[in-house]
Amino acid sequence: MTDDALGDGRTPRRSLLSSVNDHRGKVVPFRERLSCTVDEACVVTGLGRTKVYELIGSGRLVTTTVGRRRLVTVRSLLELVDTSSSA
């Protein structure tokens, strides 16, 4: 499967869920990453963009902005899932 396997220029969801390599080629599992994009947050949680932005607005997901890029902290995603699974 190539990076353009969806045929519209988007990255396949399967590759978003995989681990990423740091600048030295070391594999970093998703749960050990510090942040991810909003699109990656949607994929890993199974939620749509509207719901993810609602959670950001309510403060349940923590984000930071670097330039024009909004990044969701992986810790807040894990806490969201942990809280949701215990309720």
Side-chain angles (χ1 to χ4, degrees):
M1 186 177 268
T2 65
D3 282 345
D4 190 19
L6 297 176
D8 59 2
R10 294 182 299 154
T11 304
R13 287 182 174 213
R14 167 172 83 148
S15 66
L16 291 176
L17 295 173
S18 64
S19 301
V20 295
N21 293 331
D22 70 3
H23 67 282
R24 295 172 301 217
K26 178 184 172 192
V27 175
V28 180
F30 185 83
R31 76 172 23 253
E32 292 180 17
R33 292 174 57 183
L34 296 176
S35 64
C36 67
T37 65
V38 170
D39 286 338
E40 290 172 325
C42 291
V43 172
V44 298
T45 60
L47 300 172
R49 289 178 63 84
T50 301
K51 179 51 87 174
V52 168
Y53 277 108
E54 283 177 14
L55 292 167
I56 291 169
S58 69
R60 292 192 63 198
L61 285 179
V62 178
T63 65
T64 187
T65 304
V66 179
R68 294 177 55 195
R69 188 171 185 166
R70 180 182 294 265
L71 299 172
V72 180
T73 64
V74 172
R75 178 178 293 156
S76 70
L77 286 171
L78 296 173
E79 289 172 0
L80 175 73
V81 174
D82 288 341
T83 302
S84 298
S85 64
S86 64

